């Protein structure tokens, strides 16, 4: 099995300023986790999916979203909108691309800091749509184009290109306004999909107040890859990642957080600082996560800031005795 890339396989990551995306491949099948800005261009650059945009989705079997923050989903509207021309016209077989992600959380996140007056609610009749509803809104938003193409250019309907479903978390959690998930019983695996000998499962990670947020595990006959999504150190993720070959984990430099938030007006700076440190995993923490998971390889992704001086990673090596890889755009690693 390979993580994203060209020769020898794959992880492709876009620089932090653009967006986040990782591809896991097995044979000629491609599975994509998140679609941040620039990710489809990067996917085409890998050569995994043919060498023209016309066939960008040819080998893509599934797309999974870890959570619905913009840096992880910005490119979904473009992928959705161009789905028919990137599949059928490219000669892809009839199977729809499975799209899985968070459902409607059912309640707005709390206002932070708590004393602040609540800002106006966007789309008050449906303020927290999940993956399926978000896509239904795209279908309405782009109806002019879709009807043009259906009637004039014989495009197939987008609904037959993508099978979009929310991941059901009802057995595990009712999201509250804090968005902090419960610690699940050890061994809990939220089913996501089975595609022949590739199985994808998930757990609830802690990216509060954004919720639900998922980490994903891919198991194949070649090995296993776990992708953290955005999260602070998560016991659920450590459980999901037990003994995996690759743990692809987000990371934030706590020194950079202090530096840039202290340059902001005090109230805004402190709120942002708290969010970043409570909802992400610092350099000082990520090695311990990988060690507790027993991951053979740790791949840092979604680096904040996008470039972190190498000297800062010595903290990880002190806590973690597996192999450390600092992610770069278009890096590919084989399992
Ligand atoms: Zn996020
Ligand atoms: Zn993010």
């Amino acid at each position: 099995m390979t993580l994203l890339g060209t020769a020898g396989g794959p992880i492709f990551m876009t620089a932090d300023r653009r967006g986040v995306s990782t591809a896991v491949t097995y044979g000629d099948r491609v599975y994509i986790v998140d679609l941040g800005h620039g990710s489809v261009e990067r996917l085409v650059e890998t050569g995994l999916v043919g060498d023209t945009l016309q066939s960008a989705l040819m080998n893509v079997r599934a797309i999974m979203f870890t959570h619905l923050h913009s840096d992880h989903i910005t490119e979904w509207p473009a992928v959705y909108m161009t789905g028919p021309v990137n599949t059928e016209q490219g000669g892809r077989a009839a199977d729809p691309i499975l799209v899985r992600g968070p459902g409607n959380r059912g309640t707005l996140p709390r206002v932070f800091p708590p004393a602040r007056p609540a800002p106006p609610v966007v789309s008050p009749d449906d303020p927290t749509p999940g993956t399926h509803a978000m896509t239904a809104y795209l279908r309405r938003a782009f109806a002019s184009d879709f009807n043009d193409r259906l009637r004039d250019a014989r495009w197939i309907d987008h609904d037959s290109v993508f099978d979009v479903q929310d991941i059901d978390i009802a057995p595990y959690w009712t999201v509250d306004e804090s968005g902090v998930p419960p610690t699940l019983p050890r061994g809990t695996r939220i089913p996501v999909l089975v595609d022949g000998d590739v199985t994808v499962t998930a757990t609830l990670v802690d990216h509060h107040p954004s919720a639900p947020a998922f980490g994903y595990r891919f198991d194949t006959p070649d090995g296993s890859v776990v992708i953290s999504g955005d999260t602070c150190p998560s016991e659920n993720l450590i459980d999901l990642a037990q003994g995996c070959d690759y743990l692809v984990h987000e990371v934030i430099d706590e020194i950079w957080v202090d530096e840039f938030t202290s340059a902001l007006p005090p109230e805004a700076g402190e709120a942002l600082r708290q969010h970043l440190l409570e909802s992400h995993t610092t350099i000082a923490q990520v090695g311990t996560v990988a060690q507790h998971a027993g991951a053979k390889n740790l791949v840092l992704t979604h680096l904040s800031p996008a470039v972190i001086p190498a000297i800062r990673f010595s903290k990880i090596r002190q806590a973690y005795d597996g192999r450390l890889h600092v992610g770069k755009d278009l890096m590919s690693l084989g399992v």
Side-chain angles (χ1 to χ4, degrees):
M1 145 173 216
T2 40
L3 296 168
L4 207 211
T6 40
I11 278 190
F12 78 106
M13 299 158 196
T14 63
D16 190 59
R17 291 284 158 71
R18 305 179 73 198
V20 182
S21 187
T22 304
V24 178
T25 65
Y26 177 69
D28 62 358
R29 301 183 223 164
V30 178
Y31 304 87
I32 297 178
V33 177
D34 290 333
L35 279 170
H37 180 55
S39 48
V40 174
E41 205 180 315
R42 290 290 196 221
L43 181 64
V44 173
E45 284 175 40
T46 65
L48 286 168
V49 290
D51 52 11
T52 71
L53 276 173
Q54 261 59 42
S55 55
L57 301 177
M58 275 293 293
N59 298 332
V60 175
R61 307 283 298 189
I63 298 167
M64 283 144 280
F65 298 116
T66 58
H67 63 301
L68 300 181
H69 274 162
S70 53
D71 53 327
H72 299 253
I73 64 167
T74 315
E75 211 134 294
W76 171 231
V79 167
Y80 179 70
M81 205 174 178
T82 55
V85 79
N86 278 321
T87 50
E88 190 192 43
Q89 275 84 341
R92 182 192 163 93
D95 294 352
I97 295 170
L98 308 179
V99 181
R100 302 289 183 264
N104 189 332
R105 65 180 287 160
T107 182
L108 283 163
R110 84 284 184 275
V111 174
F112 186 82
R116 190 162 69 89
V121 174
V122 174
S123 181
D125 60 328
D126 190 8
T128 55
T131 306
H132 182 269
M134 171 178 73
T135 307
Y137 287 128
L138 295 179
R139 186 173 169 82
R140 288 175 68 90
F142 300 143
S144 287
D145 174 76
F146 293 178
N147 284 316
D148 273 0
R149 312 269 189 195
L150 282 163
R151 297 168 80 89
D152 178 55
R154 303 176 70 98
W155 275 28
I156 51 173
D157 192 281
H158 294 68
D159 275 356
S160 61
V161 177
F162 299 103
D163 168 7
V164 185
Q165 291 179 31
D166 299 338
I167 296 170
D168 181 18
I169 62 162
Y172 314 99
W173 186 27
T174 302
V175 180
D176 58 22
E177 64 166 21
S178 78
V180 177
T183 300
L184 301 174
R186 287 186 77 81
T188 301
R189 302 284 182 264
I190 300 174
V192 177
L193 60 91
V194 177
D195 182 23
D197 43 13
V198 176
T199 302
V200 184
T201 52
T203 195
L204 298 168
V205 295
D206 183 353
H207 188 43
H208 69 273
S210 178
F214 297 111
Y216 291 108
R217 178 177 179 122
F218 291 76
D219 285 292
T220 79
D222 285 354
S224 51
V225 178
V226 173
I227 296 172
S228 72
D230 285 10
T231 183
C232 62
S234 160
E235 284 301 322
N236 290 343
L237 184 80
I238 289 170
D239 183 41
L240 183 76
Q242 280 303 307
C244 67
D245 291 296
Y246 280 87
L247 171 60
V248 182
H249 204 293
E250 68 123 278
V251 72
I252 192 166
D253 182 350
E254 54 274 34
I255 291 179
W256 170 77
V257 171
D258 283 341
E259 280 173 4
F260 99 91
T261 58
S262 61
L264 298 172
E267 267 189 25
E270 183 51 28
L272 182 58
R273 183 178 171 280
Q274 277 205 32
H275 162 78
L276 291 172
L277 295 179
E278 284 182 10
S279 306
H280 293 278
T281 301
T282 64
I283 292 172
Q285 294 167 328
V286 71
T288 305
V289 170
Q291 185 69 19
H292 287 176
K296 296 183 186 71
N297 293 268
L298 169 62
V299 186
L300 302 179
T301 188
H302 203 350
L303 276 64
S304 296
V307 178
I308 298 175
I311 183 95
R312 300 278 298 119
F313 297 122
S314 58
K315 271 196 178 152
I316 299 174
R317 295 200 170 87
Q318 286 160 22
Y320 171 60
D321 56 20
R323 291 185 62 189
L324 174 66
H325 311 261
V326 179
K328 284 196 184 86
D329 278 20
L330 293 171
M331 173 188 266
S332 67
L333 297 161
V335 178

